[in-house]
Amino acid sequence: MAGKKSKYGKIVFLIGTVYLLLSSPSAFGLSGQSLKNLFGQGKYAGLHTAAKEFYMSENEKYVVALCNLVRFDPRGFLRDVILSADLDTNQSDIKNLMSELKVRKSVFPLMPAFSLYKSSFIHAKDMGFSGLEGHTGSNGQKFEERVRQFFPSSAFIAENYYQGSGEPVDIVMSFLLEKGERGKAYRNNLLSEDIHYIGISIQPHRSRCTNAVLDFARKPNLASTSLPKKKDPSEIYWKDCPKGTKIVTKRKSGGFSLLNLFGGRK
């Protein structure tokens, strides 16, 4: 009986530990209601581009909003996120980030893409269940191959990976402070003017509390590189004809016939 009590006690302890980890406040003092208040302001409301995406959690939506804030209004992010937190601004990494944000130009906000969300969701689930980390799946699949399954385009793509508390501000600040596997590249991805779309998934991780995957993509160039062939005004193309079949509308000189009126297939 004592053994059963000990076993149940361990289970309760583990559940309690996980709860505390998942519910721990952000290291930067902005979470939950604070983020809601921040992006409820008129000046920032337009940056909450994922607000109505039904498939995303609230934390995932706020990660997108924070990414857009630092991209579109770097000095606003400095003022309302970094300086409002109880941080040691004499630390070299924070000081360097603050210096960059003071002079950085505004970049357009990112729009959420469901195709990128699917890619990020699959990888975050995979890493969380397997206990691995990074950009390569447990089956050895590279991130480029995974993203192309859902975003089939030659457009530029990139990916950020995070492990930690799971709070939106912690995730974004981790990238801005160049933490993680690819450091500087993560900050560049977040601030790049070469990307237009974002997909994000935050999932539990077996050993690191939570992990987050952010997938980015540039807007595909749909413009054709070849000039369209100039159409002969005497020809029309019917939708129900095989490709390339044309109907000639020119009437030959001479007698009148129904064939001449409606044309003949070539």
Side-chain angles (χ1 to χ4, degrees), residues 7-147:
K7 181 179 178 181
Y8 291 139
K10 288 180 180 179
I11 293 174
V12 171
F13 172 78
L14 288 173
I15 292 174
T17 302
V18 171
Y19 174 79
L20 289 174
L21 285 171
L22 292 177
S23 60
S24 60
S26 166
F28 297 92
L30 275 178
S31 58
Q33 189 62 41
S34 299
L35 288 173
K36 186 176 181 180
N37 293 339
L38 179 64
F39 292 102
Q41 301 178 45
K43 61 179 179 178
Y44 291 152
L47 301 178
H48 203 0
T49 56
K52 296 183 180 179
E53 301 300 310
F54 69 92
Y55 53 88
M56 296 174 70
S57 69
E58 288 303 306
N59 277 353
E60 290 165 352
K61 294 176 183 180
Y62 282 127
V63 169
V64 177
L66 287 166
C67 289
N68 286 339
L69 175 55
V70 72
R71 286 169 61 86
F72 188 75
D73 188 357
R75 283 171 290 281
F77 186 92
L78 172 61
R79 180 185 62 250
D80 294 331
V81 177
I82 296 179
L83 294 181
S84 66
D86 186 18
L87 299 175
D88 181 4
T89 54
N90 290 317
Q91 291 183 22
S92 59
D93 54 354
I94 296 178
K95 183 180 286 188
N96 291 338
L97 174 60
M98 291 172 61
S99 298
E100 180 174 345
L101 293 181
K102 287 177 182 178
V103 298
R104 189 165 187 86
K105 295 181 180 179
S106 176
V107 180
F108 48 81
L110 300 173
M111 296 301 296
F114 183 63
S115 54
L116 294 177
Y117 167 79
K118 289 189 288 186
S119 172
S120 63
F121 174 81
I122 287 175
H123 190 56
K125 278 285 190 182
D126 179 27
M127 293 295 95
F129 184 78
S130 64
L132 299 175
E133 61 181 279
H135 301 274
T136 302
S138 60
N139 61 355
Q141 186 182 44
K142 303 295 184 182
F143 99 87
E144 294 92 343
E145 299 172 332
R146 169 172 38 83
V147 176

Side-chain angles (χ1 to χ4, degrees), residues 10 22 32 42 66 71 90 107 110 116-117 148 150 164 166 174 191 201 203 207 228 232-233 237 245-246 254 263:
K10 288 180 180 179
L22 292 177
L66 287 166
R71 286 169 61 86
N90 290 317
V107 180
L110 300 173
L116 294 177
Y117 167 79
R148 295 297 183 202
F150 304 98
S174 172
L191 300 175
S201 183
Q203 300 296 330
S207 61
D232 185 336
Y237 291 78
T245 302
K246 49 188 176 181

Side-chain angles (χ1 to χ4, degrees), residues 1-10:
M1 189 69 178
K4 286 186 177 180
K5 286 184 178 179
S6 175
K7 181 179 178 181
Y8 291 139
K10 288 180 180 179

Side-chain angles (χ1 to χ4, degrees), residues 150-170:
F150 304 98
F151 200 85
S153 166
S154 58
F156 169 78
I157 57 173
E159 183 172 84
N160 285 14
Y161 181 77
Y162 165 88
Q163 289 182 327
S165 75
E167 289 292 336
V169 180
D170 294 348

